Amino acid sequence: MGNQIRSLPKLGDLESKRVIPIEVKSELLVFNLSEMQAKKKYRIQWQRGIVVFALTVGLLGCTQSSSDQTNPAGSTPKVVSTSTIIADWTEEIGGNEIEHTGILQPGADPHVYEPTPKDTRTFEKANLILYNGYNLEPGLIRLMESSGKKAKKVAVGEAVQPLQMNQEGRGRVPDPHVWGDVENAIAIVKRIRDELIELSPEDKDTFTQNAAKLTAELKQLDQWIRQQIQTIPANQRQLVTTHDAFQYYANAYGLKVAGTLIGISTEEQPSAQTVKQLVEAIKSTGTPAIFAETTINPTLIETVAKTAGVKLSSQKLYSDSIGAPGSDGDSYSKMMVVNTTAITQNLGGKVTPFQPNTPAK
């Protein structure tokens, strides 16, 4: 600042001097002042210096705070997803315009996953965190709330109205397995698209086009699933699985969940009474086959199948996670095709291969 004083005399010096040097725009001016005028001039200059210093510090502080909440210009937005299903949709929509990290690996169980120090660092670096919500991933939600302070956090699964289910020790709670109904998946894809556009508006066209392509495929998938389930004899549309993750699927496509070993969370442990009741339900409903799941140890459901004298499908169902890369269920669309094929064939229906107009991932 040109008018800023570089050297100020002490007040005591003014008692014996009537000449004060002040530097203004590199010119040294000398004023002959009375003692009172000199003191007044000194106080004014000193107060101005304090005000300028305070404003400068304040502006720097505001700039720093703002940069912590936004994505730096020219850098690729950092997006983090919790579940593998959300990660699959996010990568499809975001493409190369985002730097994406998925926390859970294929086959991991979000209900019981225990976060690592690496997950903490990932959340801390994120600009946007997309998670399912409805308490699907409790460990990650707790970590996210404590460490992902810079990022916007969005429960994309809560874009749809949940079913209410009984959970051991908690009473009536939202069922988090919303992706079982493909129409719900379409709503979530729309929410992810909108959040990415808000994060990186310059990439709106890319996000919109990618989401439209994915949505078109999901609409075809939804119709295909309905057609396959309709081929199952009506009295055999009974679904028995390890944990209660298929209520949305059953409601949407005309099945009835005849029973499960455990409830909506894999944290629950089945009792001997529960196993006995499930065996009786299988026998009384005439369910032709039951299903294990890819994320849960199959030992107990194998015991149920033997006790009930019913077939256990050789194809496990994908419930809370997509499959490993290169597997038959390594995307959301593929996992839904695998599940529907297994359910239809094992319950007495006939499958027509899924052939989308746009290729599945």
Side-chain angles (χ1 to χ4, degrees):
M1 296 181 185
N3 293 338
Q4 201 170 14
I5 296 174
R6 293 188 178 178
S7 178
L8 293 175
K10 297 179 180 178
L11 284 173
D13 294 339
L14 296 175
E15 300 296 333
S16 58
K17 295 180 183 179
R18 295 177 182 275
V19 179
I20 302 174
I22 305 177
E23 184 177 289
V24 181
K25 296 183 179 179
S26 301
E27 296 178 5
L28 190 62
L29 305 180
V30 178
F31 297 90
N32 292 317
L33 304 170
S34 67
E35 187 171 24
M36 291 297 292
Q37 289 172 324
K39 289 183 179 180
K40 182 178 180 181
K41 188 75 174 179
Y42 177 82
R43 285 195 297 269
I44 291 171
Q45 293 290 353
W46 178 252
Q47 289 166 354
R48 285 176 179 171
I50 292 173
V51 171
V52 170
F53 176 77
L55 287 173
T56 302
V57 171
L59 288 172
L60 286 173
C62 289
T63 302
Q64 179 66 36
S65 176
S66 177
S67 66
D68 286 344
Q69 301 300 323
T70 58
N71 188 50
S75 66
T76 304
K78 293 180 174 62
V79 181
V80 175
S81 301
T82 54
S83 79
T84 59
I85 296 170
I86 295 172
D88 177 57
W89 293 326
T90 302
E91 289 176 0
E92 284 278 347
I93 300 166
N96 296 326
E97 309 306 325
I98 63 172
E99 182 181 327
H100 178 260
T101 302
I103 296 289
L104 292 174
Q105 298 302 305
D109 185 343
H111 295 287
V112 297
Y113 178 77
E114 295 184 4
T116 67
K118 180 181 178 182
D119 299 333
T120 301
R121 294 191 294 272
T122 300
F123 280 145
E124 288 174 344
K125 295 176 182 178
N127 301 114
L128 175 65
I129 299 172
L130 303 174
Y131 67 107
N132 188 84
Y134 294 138
N135 208 42
L136 174 73
E137 57 276 78
L140 284 173
I141 291 174
R142 287 192 294 270
L143 178 65
M144 175 188 67
E145 294 297 342
S146 63
S147 62
K149 296 180 179 179
K150 182 178 75 171
K152 181 179 181 181
K153 296 172 275 289
V154 183
V156 293
E158 295 182 11
V160 301
Q161 191 69 24
L163 298 174
Q164 295 293 322
M165 305 293 293
N166 290 319
Q167 184 174 2
E168 185 178 311
R170 294 184 62 197
R172 299 288 287 179
V173 297
D175 183 348
H177 306 92
V178 292
W179 59 85
D181 182 347
V182 180
E183 288 188 355
N184 287 347
I186 292 171
I188 297 171
V189 163
K190 180 180 179 182
R191 181 65 185 274
I192 294 172
R193 177 202 66 192
D194 292 346
E195 293 299 332
L196 292 181
I197 290 173
E198 181 179 316
L199 177 66
S200 185
E202 63 270 25
D203 298 311
K204 177 179 179 180
D205 289 346
T206 298
F207 299 150
T208 300
Q209 291 169 9
N210 290 347
K213 180 180 178 182
L214 178 56
T215 298
E217 179 184 306
L218 293 178
K219 288 181 178 179
Q220 295 174 55
L221 177 63
D222 181 58
Q223 290 302 313
W224 177 83
I225 294 174
R226 295 180 192 280
Q227 293 166 0
Q228 309 318 301
I229 298 302
Q230 288 300 309
T231 69
I232 301 171
N235 65 338
Q236 294 182 190
R237 296 175 192 167
Q238 307 282 340
L239 192 58
V240 175
T241 60
T242 308
H243 93 293
D244 205 351
F246 291 88
Q247 290 288 348
Y248 291 93
Y249 184 92
N251 284 5
Y253 303 114
L255 293 162
K256 179 182 178 181
V257 176
T260 63
L261 267 177
I262 51 180
I264 61 174
S265 174
T266 55
E267 292 179 300
E268 299 177 23
Q269 296 297 322
S271 64
Q273 182 66 20
T274 300
V275 173
K276 180 181 178 182
Q277 290 174 348
L278 181 59
V279 169
E280 291 174 352
I282 293 169
K283 290 180 177 179
S284 64
T285 58
T287 303
I290 64 176
F291 302 87
E293 299 172 33
T294 59
T295 56
I296 304 175
N297 189 312
T299 301
L300 199 51
I301 198 74
E302 289 172 351
T303 300
V304 169
K306 291 178 182 178
T307 305
V310 68
K311 175 185 176 182
L312 179 66
S313 170
S314 59
Q315 173 63 60
K316 297 178 181 178
L317 301 183
Y318 293 98
S319 54
D320 294 335
S321 173
I322 65 173
S327 68
D328 56 2
D330 64 359
S331 73
Y332 171 76
S333 293
K334 287 183 179 180
M335 92 172 199
M336 294 297 284
V337 169
V338 170
N339 286 354
T340 300
T341 299
I343 290 169
T344 301
Q345 290 178 337
N346 280 278
L347 297 185
K350 184 176 181 181
V351 174
T352 301
F354 179 57
Q355 297 178 329
N357 295 332
T358 55
K361 179 182 172 186

